[in-house]
């Protein structure tokens, strides 16, 4: 069966690269917001202001790295699952001897690998251009911590996406929730601003919710490594969220599949 | 203990809860019984066709037999499994094709997505090439199989999807409207392909179609459904024979003669012609009787077409 996921990944990659214009334009999708963020931060710091305790170079490094983690782990609308449930496409998946969750995980991260690669290329190119003014202080420990946390973030991110998508078993129309999340999530993940610059309770809440483990913490760790005990606490909190979302997801799936009307 | 039938259905019902008003505060619902307390068994050696008008419960039945829809009451066993448990052994032995619903990837050559089948069901590359050769030749798509799906006609796409649905050679394949949207030639070639796979590989097809000919050409046994109930289950040939009748068209010398014959033999008049319907082969003695008594210029005996018989059975219900 592992061969199936490998084969599926290969086909998905072919499909993802089928439209060259789309692929080329995806570079701009990464580049434009990144340039906007960098220019804004420079402008703020040139005028003597600052954001929290962040130094200019660390903040620029954070935005560069957050661009990659955001591309990799942010919660996006995954139409495939919702359409499968609403239009009956799930019928054929249910009858195939593979796991629907892992099928989608493979397709999702195969397509993501293209956009992640683009994000890495653009981020690195930008870094090469602007590195005269700052350096990303990556050390070996922070790299290890980042890689470990990234694995958990990848799983947590897809669990959240899958869980939100299978709510379509119960609610045929959840566009309002999606629109709301598309506005809130960039803030909640730390893609727009580092979460620790928010004040008081707001910061505490944001730092303890699952979206923080997707973009903020991985990018933060790369700019400033953590002591191992602190990192292990952070990692166990992320794993705890994985378990919580997994339980919510399996319960939703079990109840949802009983309600599934197999339209069509 | 292994059961003797491939499909066993007992007291099966399915009730849908359907919203009847879109009021935000007080939406109202009604219950619709799509399948109502039906029982039957079927042996995998013969193909089974399911006849019925729209809303008869055919597709709901197919979905419950495959396990993707949960019944409201009753029990189902397919290949000694409860389909709704969707165990791997069951999944390995069934296939599903729903007309108009694609499974293959749109933008890459069809052969690439079809090849995923061998990874899913775990058979060798050599075996895949062998099966693909046989299937694509039977379907006459040996060249088209290398094109992306988006460049194909509806008929070619349907053939590709059909091929993908059972290239893993399952024991039972469920076909829901397999020839929907196809032209006469494509429909005919698909039917031939279904019969070829049944004879060559022993695949049992359960076919649900509005196209009566699909079932007449491919299924020795059939179910006739109406409003969620089974009206008939058995040999398709027997059903046709039971309902077959002849139509006799008599040309008489005058309108009056035609009217007289019509009133004596319960016929229909059109000018100098009279049309009489007969069940089975009972027409001969009556025609002799009429010819002996009246001035008949000419007559014609027409046997009712099998498709018309099924249409008549369904429309009478």
């Amino acid at each position: 069966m592992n061969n199936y996921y490998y084969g599926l990944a290969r086909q998905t990659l072919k499909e993802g690269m089928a439209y060259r214009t789309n692929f080329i334009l995806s570079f701009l999708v990464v580049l434009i917001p990144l340039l906007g963020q960098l220019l804004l931060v420079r402008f703020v710091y040139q005028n003597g202001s600052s954001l929290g305790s962040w130094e200019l170079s660390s903040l620029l490094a954070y935005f560069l790295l957050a661009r990659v983690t955001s591309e990799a782990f942010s919660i996006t609308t995954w139409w495939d699952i919702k359409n499968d449930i609403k239009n009956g496409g799930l019928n054929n998946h249910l009858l195939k001897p593979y796991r629907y969750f892992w099928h989608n995980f493979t397709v999702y991260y195969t397509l993501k690998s293209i956009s992640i690669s683009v994000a890495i290329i653009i981020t690195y190119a930008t870094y090469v251009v602007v590195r005269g003014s700052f350096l990303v202080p990556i050390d070996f420990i922070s790299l290890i911590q980042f890689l470990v946390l990234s694995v958990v973030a990848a799983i947590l991110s897809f669990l959240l996406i899958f869980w939100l998508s299978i709510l379509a078993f119960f609610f045929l129309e959840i566009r309002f929730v999606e629109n709301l999340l598309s506005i809130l999530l960039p803030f909640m993940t730390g893609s727009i601003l580092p979460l620790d610059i928010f004040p008081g309770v707001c910061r505490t809440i944001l730092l303890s919710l699952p979206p923080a483990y997707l973009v903020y913490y991985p990018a933060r760790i790369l700019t400033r490594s953590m002591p191992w005990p602190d990192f292990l606490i952070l990692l166990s909190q992320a794993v705890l969220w994985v378990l919580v979302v997994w339980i919510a997801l399996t319960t939703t799936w079990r109840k949802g599949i009983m309600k599934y009307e197999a339209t069509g | 203990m292994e059961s003797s039938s491939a499909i066993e259905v007992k007291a099966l019902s399915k009730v849908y809860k359907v919203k009847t008003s879109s009021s935000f505060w007080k939406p109202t619902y009604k219950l619709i019984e799509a399948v109502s307390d039906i029982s039957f068994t079927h042996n995998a050696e013969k193909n089974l066709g399911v006849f019925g008008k729209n809303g008869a419960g055919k597709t709901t039945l197919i979905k419950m037999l495959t396990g993707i829809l949960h019944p409201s009451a009753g029990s189902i066993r397919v290949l000694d499994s409860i389909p709704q448990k969707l165990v791997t052994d069951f999944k390995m032995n069934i296939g599903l094709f729903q007309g108009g619903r694609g499974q293959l990837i749109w933008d890459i050559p069809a052969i690439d997505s079809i090849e995923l089948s061998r990874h899913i069901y775990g058979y060798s590359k050599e075996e895949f090439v062998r099966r693909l050769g046989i299937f694509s030749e039977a379907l006459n798509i040996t060249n088209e199989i290398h094109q992306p799906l988006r460049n194909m006609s509806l008929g070619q796409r349907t053939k590709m999807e059909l091929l993908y649905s059972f290239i893993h050679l399952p024991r039972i394949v469920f076909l829901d409207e397999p020839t929907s949207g196809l032209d006469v030639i494509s429909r005919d070639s698909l039917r031939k392909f279904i019969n070829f796979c049944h004879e060559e590989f022993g695949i049992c097809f359960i076919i649900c179609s509005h196209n009566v000919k699909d079932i007449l050409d491919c299924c020795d046994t059939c179910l006739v459904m109406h409003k969620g109930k089974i009206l008939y289950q058995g040999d398709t040939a027997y059903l046709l024979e039971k309902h077959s009748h002849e139509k006799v068209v008599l040309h008489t010398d005058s309108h009056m003669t035609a009217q007289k014959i019509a009133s004596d033999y319960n016929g229909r008049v059109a000018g100098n012609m009279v049309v009489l319907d007969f069940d089975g082969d009972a027409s001969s003695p009556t025609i002799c009787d009429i010819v002996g008594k009246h001035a008949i210029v000419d007559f014609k005996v027409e046997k009712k077409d099998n498709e018309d018989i099924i249409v008549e059975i369904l429309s009478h219900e």
Side-chain angles (χ1 to χ4, degrees), chain A residues 11 19 87 96 262 264, chain B residues 63 91 98 101 103 107 112:
Chain A
Q11 310 303 359
Y19 294 104
N87 305 330
K96 296 274 191 298
Chain B
K63 285 173 185 169
K91 291 179 181 180
Q98 291 181 290
R101 172 143 300 145
Q103 301 179 64
D107 294 312
D112 290 346

Side-chain angles (χ1 to χ4, degrees), chain A residues 1-16 18-19 87-99 103 257-264, chain B residues 14 16-17 59 63 66-70 86 88 90-92 94-98 101-103 105-109 111-113 115-116 119-121 150 164-165 176:
Chain A
M1 189 49 64
N2 290 338
N3 278 345
Y4 167 65
Y5 298 113
Y6 172 66
L8 179 67
R10 280 182 52 191
Q11 310 303 359
T12 308
L13 209 55
K14 272 189 197 173
E15 189 193 8
Y19 294 104
N87 305 330
L90 185 60
N91 299 356
N92 280 307
H93 289 292
L94 289 177
L95 298 181
K96 296 274 191 298
Y98 53 67
R99 296 271 175 195
H103 168 92
I257 209 72
M258 297 296 289
K259 273 182 75 83
Y260 178 54
E261 289 186 354
T263 312
Chain B
K14 177 68 189 177
Y16 289 111
K17 192 178 172 187
T59 303
K63 285 173 185 169
T66 55
I68 53 181
L69 197 64
H70 287 252
L86 292 170
T88 306
F90 171 75
K91 291 179 181 180
M92 294 291 281
I94 65 156
L96 170 68
F97 171 85
Q98 291 181 290
R101 172 143 300 145
Q103 301 179 64
I105 301 173
W106 193 251
D107 294 312
I108 61 172
I111 191 170
D112 290 346
S113 358
E115 197 177 354
L116 280 178
H119 296 303
I120 298 172
Y121 296 97
R150 67 180 144 87
Y164 180 61
S165 301
D176 188 3

Side-chain angles (χ1 to χ4, degrees), chain A residues 73-250:
Chain A
F73 312 129
S74 62
I75 299 167
T76 50
T77 306
W78 186 233
W79 296 105
D80 290 23
I81 300 169
K82 269 192 300 191
N83 287 341
D84 279 350
I85 293 170
K86 284 170 81 167
N87 305 330
L90 185 60
N91 299 356
N92 280 307
H93 289 292
L94 289 177
L95 298 181
K96 296 274 191 298
Y98 53 67
R99 296 271 175 195
Y100 183 63
F101 176 84
W102 292 112
H103 168 92
N104 275 285
F105 186 88
T106 308
V107 173
Y108 181 80
Y109 273 111
T110 305
L111 290 175
K112 269 279 166 189
S113 70
I114 300 172
S115 54
I116 294 168
S117 309
V118 169
I120 290 172
I121 293 167
I122 289 291
T123 307
Y124 185 73
T126 312
Y127 175 59
V128 169
V129 172
V130 299
R131 72 178 157 189
S133 55
F134 74 100
L135 273 175
V136 179
I138 298 174
D139 58 37
F140 182 69
I141 290 175
S142 60
L143 197 62
I144 295 289
Q145 290 177 344
F146 168 77
L147 291 175
V148 173
L149 197 58
S150 290
V151 173
V152 182
I155 295 167
L156 180 60
S157 163
F158 190 73
L159 283 173
L160 283 165
I161 289 167
F162 195 90
W163 179 59
L164 288 170
S165 302
I166 63 171
L167 290 178
F169 278 128
F170 306 93
F171 311 104
L172 284 179
E173 188 51 70
I174 49 173
R175 214 174 320 177
F176 170 73
V177 179
E178 285 164 16
N179 289 344
L180 190 69
L181 285 176
S182 69
I183 295 165
L184 288 178
L185 280 171
F187 282 100
M188 293 172 75
T189 54
S191 300
I192 300 206
L193 290 167
L195 297 180
D196 55 6
I197 66 163
F198 287 97
V201 183
C202 183
R203 178 176 58 190
T204 313
I205 293 171
L206 285 174
L207 287 176
S208 54
L209 288 174
Y213 297 87
L214 308 179
V215 177
Y216 171 74
Y217 284 120
R220 185 83 176 81
I221 277 177
L222 266 187
T223 57
R224 217 181 300 165
S225 68
M226 275 182 162
W228 280 105
D230 291 352
F231 174 74
L232 289 176
I233 290 170
L234 182 75
L235 187 66
S236 47
Q237 284 167 345
V239 171
L240 196 66
W241 274 119
V242 166
L243 291 175
V244 169
V245 181
W246 176 257
I247 290 166
L249 185 153
T250 47

Side-chain angles (χ1 to χ4, degrees), chain B residues 175-292:
Chain B
L175 302 178
D176 188 3
E177 302 296 345
T179 57
S180 162
L182 299 185
D183 63 34
V184 184
I185 308 291
S186 300
R187 282 207 296 259
D188 190 54
S189 74
L190 279 196
R191 288 178 201 128
K192 283 181 182 153
F193 178 62
I194 290 167
N195 284 329
F196 166 78
C197 289
H198 178 66
E199 282 156 23
E200 196 73 16
F201 301 107
I203 298 173
C204 166
F205 290 92
I206 312 292
I207 305 174
C208 153
S209 177
H210 282 118
N211 198 324
V212 172
K213 210 165 180 318
D214 292 347
I215 297 175
L216 295 178
D217 285 3
C218 304
C219 304
D220 296 331
T221 57
C222 69
L223 281 179
V224 180
M225 291 189 72
H226 179 66
K227 290 186 177 170
K229 292 199 178 289
I230 294 176
L231 298 181
Y232 173 84
Q233 191 212 345
D235 285 348
T236 313
Y238 178 72
L239 178 74
L240 295 171
E241 196 186 327
K242 199 172 135 194
H243 291 269
S244 74
H245 34 232
E246 288 175 346
K247 187 168 80 175
V248 179
V249 183
L250 299 162
H251 288 251
T252 63
D253 61 343
S254 68
H255 182 62
M256 259 177 60
T257 312
Q259 275 185 320
K260 174 84 175 97
I261 296 169
S263 75
D264 288 352
Y265 297 94
N266 197 22
R268 301 186 302 278
V269 181
N272 289 359
M273 282 197 306
V274 58
V275 181
L276 305 173
D277 289 316
F278 294 94
D279 288 342
D281 296 323
S283 61
S284 305
T286 315
I287 295 168
C288 291
D289 188 38
I290 295 169
V291 170

